[in-house]
Amino acid sequence: METIIRKGKKEDMPAVLELIKELAAFEKEPDAVVTTVETLEQEGFGENPLFHVFVAEVDGRIEGMALVYYRFSTWKGRTLHLEDLIVREEKRGTGLGNALYKKVIEFAKEQNLKRVEWVVLDWNQHAIDFYERSGANILKDWYTVQMDEDGITKYVETNT
């Protein structure tokens, strides 16, 4: 079994989208994915790419991925956000997730970034335990705040 962890390419985006959909199902949101292969190709591989993706390839098939993008902290400077890290269900427990995680952390180190951050669902104890063992801090006094497309529209309409 030959395993390669590498930077993703435009032609990998159909497999990356499959993995995104698998992650959404795992997170109990199977119908939430609206992005497309075309969107991933445009936004990740245009003149100003919005993200980087690393893939785990086993015997020529993409079995996992980690998608990251830069953020800016007013306190720390440039940081990295790990949006998603997913390994196909049948390949979990083989070390691919750990290899992708390591690649992300190494990438942050190479880029001289001040922090890597991500979110984890409170019921995903396996992931929480893994992150804590790796030396990451789980911040329990911060909430993730989001406003979806409908909320944005309603806010703009009622505050103009």
Side-chain angles (χ1 to χ4, degrees), residues 22-30 83-84 119-121 123-124:
E22 186 171 329
L23 178 61
F26 173 77
E27 293 183 350
K28 301 173 178 57
E29 294 280 347
E83 178 66 17
D84 286 326
V119 296
V120 60
L121 290 166
W123 55 260
N124 192 348

Side-chain angles (χ1 to χ4, degrees), residues 33 75 94 111 125 159:
V33 178
W75 292 5
T94 63
Q111 299 295 309
Q125 195 59 51
N159 290 284

Side-chain angles (χ1 to χ4, degrees), residues 118-120 142-146:
W118 59 96
V119 296
V120 60
W142 288 78
Y143 289 100
T144 299
V145 179
Q146 297 180 335

Side-chain angles (χ1 to χ4, degrees), residues 84-96:
D84 286 326
L85 191 155
I86 180 73
V87 172
R88 290 190 199 277
E89 186 173 9
E90 64 270 14
K91 293 295 184 182
R92 292 183 192 147
T94 63
L96 288 182

Side-chain angles (χ1 to χ4, degrees), residues 80-127:
L80 191 70
H81 183 82
L82 171 58
E83 178 66 17
D84 286 326
L85 191 155
I86 180 73
V87 172
R88 290 190 199 277
E89 186 173 9
E90 64 270 14
K91 293 295 184 182
R92 292 183 192 147
T94 63
L96 288 182
N98 189 49
L100 284 164
Y101 181 76
K102 182 178 181 212
K103 184 72 170 177
V104 167
I105 304 304
E106 288 173 346
F107 177 75
K109 180 73 174 161
E110 290 164 6
Q111 299 295 309
N112 198 31
L113 302 178
K114 305 302 180 195
R115 179 171 66 210
V116 181
E117 53 206 350
W118 59 96
V119 296
V120 60
L121 290 166
D122 62 358
W123 55 260
N124 192 348
Q125 195 59 51
H126 179 74

Side-chain angles (χ1 to χ4, degrees), residues 8-158:
K9 300 180 275 194
K10 191 174 186 177
E11 54 267 25
D12 297 329
M13 292 308 99
V16 166
L17 183 58
E18 282 178 30
L19 287 159
I20 291 168
K21 289 179 178 178
E22 186 171 329
L23 178 61
F26 173 77
E27 293 183 350
K28 301 173 178 57
E29 294 280 347
D31 300 319
V33 178
V34 295
T35 196
T36 64
V37 168
E38 293 75 22
T39 300
L40 292 169
E41 290 173 348
Q42 289 170 357
E43 301 294 359
F45 298 90
E47 192 174 311
N48 296 305
L50 295 180
F51 65 85
H52 298 280
V53 64
F54 300 101
V55 297
E57 192 176 68
V58 180
D59 296 331
R61 180 172 186 237
I62 295 174
E63 301 287 5
M65 68 91 177
L67 190 143
V68 299
Y69 56 88
Y70 295 111
R71 292 176 66 176
F72 186 83
S73 164
T74 54
W75 292 5
K76 302 292 182 185
R78 193 178 206 185
T79 67
L80 191 70
H81 183 82
L82 171 58
E83 178 66 17
D84 286 326
L85 191 155
I86 180 73
V87 172
R88 290 190 199 277
E89 186 173 9
E90 64 270 14
K91 293 295 184 182
R92 292 183 192 147
T94 63
L96 288 182
N98 189 49
L100 284 164
Y101 181 76
K102 182 178 181 212
K103 184 72 170 177
V104 167
I105 304 304
E106 288 173 346
F107 177 75
K109 180 73 174 161
E110 290 164 6
Q111 299 295 309
N112 198 31
L113 302 178
K114 305 302 180 195
R115 179 171 66 210
V116 181
E117 53 206 350
W118 59 96
V119 296
V120 60
L121 290 166
D122 62 358
W123 55 260
N124 192 348
Q125 195 59 51
H126 179 74
I128 291 168
D129 293 344
F130 170 80
Y131 295 140
E132 286 179 331
R133 281 193 313 271
S134 79
N137 298 313
I138 309 290
L139 305 178
K140 297 182 176 139
D141 52 348
W142 288 78
Y143 289 100
T144 299
V145 179
Q146 297 180 335
M147 185 180 287
D148 65 13
E149 188 175 12
D150 288 338
I152 294 167
T153 300
K154 288 176 187 170
Y155 181 85
V156 169
E157 288 172 357
T158 59

